[in-house]
Each structure stands twice: as C-alpha cells, then as structure tokens.
Amino acid sequence: MASLSRIPFARLGVTKELVRALPWDPDSAAIVKTVISLAHRLDLPVVAEGIERKEQMVWLKANRCDYGQGYYIGKPLPPGEIWGGRIQGVMVWAYPLH
C-alpha cells in the first residue's frame, strides 16, 4: 500500500460496473463514496463511467463526483467531432458534473 503514494495519478475513475448498480446497491454506493472521498483527499478529480440513468447522475452529483461519461450524457463521438477535433487533455471526453 505504501507504494501507491508514489504513483503519479492524474485522476481516479469509477468503473461502469459500479455505476450500473447506483443508487440501489448499498455496497456499490459505499465503494463509490470511498473512491470519491479518497480522490478528493489526494486532490484528484473523479470520473464516473457508464452513466445511463438520471438516478445515477443525480446520485453522483450529490456525492461530489467531478466528471461523468455515458449514454445518459451523450453518445460517443469520433475524435474529429470532439471540440472541433482538438484534443485538449485527458478529460476531453468527460462532462463536468458540478
């Protein structure tokens, strides 16, 4: 565990498998809350993948998730259609949730 502190993370992600169970599964909710808390304590943004329902978006916003991706937000776009084709960083495909 000590070696984790030496890895230069740019962000932490919440997988679509965990997001899929939100907000109904208490175990998934507890894990996601912990990931968000850990990320914020490390001053890192959090990206949730696979948001497909309004309830998931509402829950993630309420629990201070920073960014989200998924069909509820918008369909995937080819790179040439993202911000006029300019790739401006790792977060280009994520939508701010706050």
Side-chain angles (χ1 to χ4, degrees), residues 22-88:
L22 294 177
W24 307 280
D25 179 47
D27 293 336
S28 294
I31 292 168
V32 174
K33 283 182 181 181
T34 301
V35 169
I36 292 170
S37 177
L38 174 63
H40 290 165
R41 287 180 185 264
L42 296 172
D43 204 25
L44 296 171
V46 182
V47 180
E49 301 173 352
I51 301 171
E52 296 182 356
R53 298 174 179 265
K54 180 179 181 179
E55 298 88 357
Q56 295 163 334
M57 176 79 95
V58 169
W59 190 94
L60 289 161
K61 281 184 178 183
N63 284 280
R64 300 180 49 233
C65 185
D66 302 301
Y67 297 93
Q69 301 170 326
Y71 283 101
Y72 181 77
I73 296 167
K75 67 177 182 144
L77 298 173
E81 292 183 32
I82 299 171
W83 291 356
R86 295 179 305 158
I87 305 301
Q88 298 183 0

